[in-house]
Amino acid sequence: MSETGQARGKSRRESILQAALDCFTEHGIEGTTIEMIRDKSGASTGSLYHHFANKEDIASTLFLDGLHNYSEPLLKGLAACSDARDGIEIMVTSYIDWVTENPDWARFIFSARGRVIRGAAAEALKDNNRKQFMALRDWLQPHIEQGVLQPLPLDLYHALVNGPIQDYCRAWLAGRVRHSPRQHARTFANAAWRSVAV
Amino acid sequence: MSETGQARGKSRRESILQAALDCFTEHGIEGTTIEMIRDKSGASTGSLYHHFANKEDIASTLFLDGLHNYSEPLLKGLAACSDARDGIEIMVTSYIDWVTENPDWARFIFSARGRVIRGAAAEALKDNNRKQFMALRDWLQPHIEQGVLQPLPLDLYHALVNGPIQDYCRAWLAGRVRHSPRQHARTFANAAWRSVAV
DNA sequence: TACTGACTAGAACAAAATTCTAGAATGATA
DNA sequence: TATCATTCTAGAATTTTGTTCTAGTCAGTA
């Protein structure tokens, strides 16, 4: 019996993903080799390529998992909220909470975003985007109709509310700013509100 | 005499950069091989490695060139402007102008950002950031002292003013939104102003 | 003309990614 | 418990990609 044979099936897959995430955050995606992931996870080359098609596949799996982990609590929080001002606040804080609680994931997401994604992962990504898009639209609609929020295109809402936090969080994760995004949560929420409220 | 020997010196270097930019925007940085760049530019492997240390070097050269092309007009415009509201407007429009006039470059910058940058390029990048940082600080200071703009940390200014445009432009370049950022320039400028004005 | 240094070509080499083959662990079935 | 199909693992073999090396060519110049 092999020594590492213990970690079979799902757990082996998980260990590969975890090792890959560690390597990616430390050396960047391009900077990590399959060998690094293999050695760090304790898997063999064959095992690795049994679970994933290639390095790209590992990266996009992680990317989608990360996005999903972020958007789930956001959508849940939004669905449970009927006040416009509170909703904007939830969008801001749930983003900031996720980044500050999962800095490794967030760092990875920022670095992986913008890469060309192909195949099944691209479809899954579109799906994820569409789901988030529709949830946001459904939540906004009544507030816009009631004249509480401005009738802007949806993408503009995303830009105005998420844009500033994204930019600041990216800088924070890169170590370029001193204060945690949490300390500015109120500022961001206020700015977002002033941008989109009637 | 060799057939491609015509393109020597500076022009050969330029042709390599142009070919690389084309390949990078089409296939992503990871997706393009040295071979692609070599063939597209008409250079030989040796020539390519004479002008650049490696693929990374080509990418960071393009990255820095792109950043420089963007920040130069911005800083110039800002320096020539004394009104607070106009300055915010310039920040917004000069970003949007650059993206819409240089979509290939912008696409590349977005995809290359977040990658690990090492060595001399990292220093040059820091330098560029520092220069932009200081210019922004010098421009803001008097307006803050006069009580026209809020006394926020500099990074927050960047996030509030640039964040939304960045997010929207990224979506536009990816073909995810219909309207050009230009059509929303006023909205972005207004939102930015409301975010940072006293 | 002969010399210099920047530049180029393409073969040789090294490193990394991916495939392949043989076999071990696991769980279902008789 | 024996056997069988399936999933999974190991590591060697192969392919692809990146980088270096060597022998030059070319343009300018003394």
Side-chain angles (χ1 to χ4, degrees), chain B residues 136-185:
Chain B
L136 182 58
R137 189 197 55 193
D138 292 345
W139 183 83
L140 284 170
Q141 199 128 44
H143 299 296
I144 292 175
E145 281 170 3
Q146 288 164 29
V148 181
L149 294 177
Q150 296 177 45
L152 301 168
L154 216 51
D155 311 289
L156 226 55
Y157 268 98
H158 187 274
L160 293 170
V161 175
N162 281 333
I165 331 172
Q166 266 177 49
D167 186 79
Y168 192 88
C169 286
R170 172 194 289 280
W172 179 67
L173 290 167
R176 287 202 303 272
V177 300
R178 220 195 336 276
H179 303 300
S180 153
R182 278 182 195 278
Q183 296 184 251
H184 296 305

Side-chain angles (χ1 to χ4, degrees), chain B residues 26-197:
Chain B
E26 188 173 347
H27 307 105
I29 296 178
E30 279 200 286
T32 81
T33 64
I34 288 284
E35 205 185 352
M36 288 182 195
I37 300 174
R38 166 161 71 67
D39 293 349
K40 185 151 201 164
S41 68
S44 68
T45 310
S47 178
L48 208 150
Y49 277 93
H50 170 75
H51 288 290
F52 301 95
N54 47 35
K55 193 168 102 173
E56 187 62 31
D57 186 24
I58 301 177
S60 26
T61 300
L62 283 172
F63 186 66
L64 288 169
D65 283 0
L67 280 191
H68 185 254
N69 291 345
Y70 154 64
S71 63
E72 205 179 22
L74 167 66
L75 298 186
K76 217 174 269 178
L78 215 51
C81 169
S82 59
D83 182 65
R85 173 72 212 233
D86 287 352
I88 299 293
E89 189 112 10
I90 282 175
M91 293 185 210
V92 169
T93 54
S94 92
Y95 191 105
I96 291 178
D97 286 349
W98 185 76
V99 169
T100 52
E101 282 160 25
N102 308 278
D104 279 355
W105 276 102
R107 233 182 294 272
F108 169 71
I109 293 284
F110 275 125
S111 79
R113 188 170 76 160
R115 284 161 51 84
V116 178
I117 295 183
R118 270 178 287 264
E123 292 309 309
L125 178 57
K126 265 190 196 164
D127 237 50
N128 184 60
N129 285 343
R130 187 165 35 239
K131 207 176 284 177
Q132 214 174 322
F133 186 92
M134 280 163 51
L136 182 58
R137 189 197 55 193
D138 292 345
W139 183 83
L140 284 170
Q141 199 128 44
H143 299 296
I144 292 175
E145 281 170 3
Q146 288 164 29
V148 181
L149 294 177
Q150 296 177 45
L152 301 168
L154 216 51
D155 311 289
L156 226 55
Y157 268 98
H158 187 274
L160 293 170
V161 175
N162 281 333
I165 331 172
Q166 266 177 49
D167 186 79
Y168 192 88
C169 286
R170 172 194 289 280
W172 179 67
L173 290 167
R176 287 202 303 272
V177 300
R178 220 195 336 276
H179 303 300
S180 153
R182 278 182 195 278
Q183 296 184 251
H184 296 305
R186 187 136 304 270
T187 306
F188 285 120
N190 287 339
W193 177 252
R194 269 178 287 176
S195 298
V196 300

Side-chain angles (χ1 to χ4, degrees), chain A residues 9-173:
Chain A
K10 192 132 202 169
S11 62
R12 169 48 43 100
R13 192 186 142 94
E14 292 307 314
S15 73
I16 292 171
L17 284 174
Q18 183 58 55
L21 181 61
D22 291 349
C23 292
F24 287 162
T25 40
E26 188 173 349
H27 307 105
I29 296 177
E30 279 200 287
T32 80
T33 65
I34 287 285
E35 204 186 353
M36 289 181 194
I37 300 174
R38 166 162 72 67
D39 294 348
K40 185 150 202 165
S41 68
S44 66
T45 310
S47 179
L48 205 149
Y49 277 93
H50 169 77
H51 290 289
F52 300 96
N54 47 36
K55 196 168 98 172
E56 186 62 30
D57 186 24
I58 302 178
S60 28
T61 301
L62 282 173
F63 185 67
L64 288 169
D65 283 0
L67 281 191
H68 185 254
N69 291 346
Y70 154 65
S71 63
E72 206 178 23
L74 167 65
L75 297 186
K76 218 173 269 178
L78 214 51
C81 169
S82 59
D83 181 66
R85 172 73 211 233
D86 288 351
I88 298 294
E89 189 113 10
I90 283 175
M91 293 185 210
V92 170
T93 54
S94 93
Y95 191 104
I96 291 178
D97 286 349
W98 185 75
V99 170
T100 51
E101 281 159 25
N102 307 280
D104 278 355
W105 276 101
R107 232 182 295 271
F108 170 71
I109 294 283
F110 275 125
S111 78
R113 187 169 76 160
R115 285 161 50 82
V116 177
I117 295 184
R118 270 178 286 263
E123 291 310 306
L125 178 57
K126 266 190 196 165
D127 238 51
N128 184 58
N129 285 344
R130 187 164 39 236
K131 207 175 284 177
Q132 214 173 323
F133 186 92
M134 281 164 50
L136 183 58
R137 189 197 55 192
D138 293 345
W139 183 83
L140 284 171
Q141 198 129 45
H143 299 296
I144 292 174
E145 280 169 4
Q146 287 164 30
V148 181
L149 295 177
Q150 296 176 45
L152 301 168
L154 217 51
D155 312 289
L156 226 55
Y157 267 99
H158 188 274
L160 292 170
V161 176
N162 280 334
I165 331 172
Q166 267 177 47
D167 186 80
Y168 193 87
C169 287
R170 171 194 289 280
W172 180 67
L173 290 168

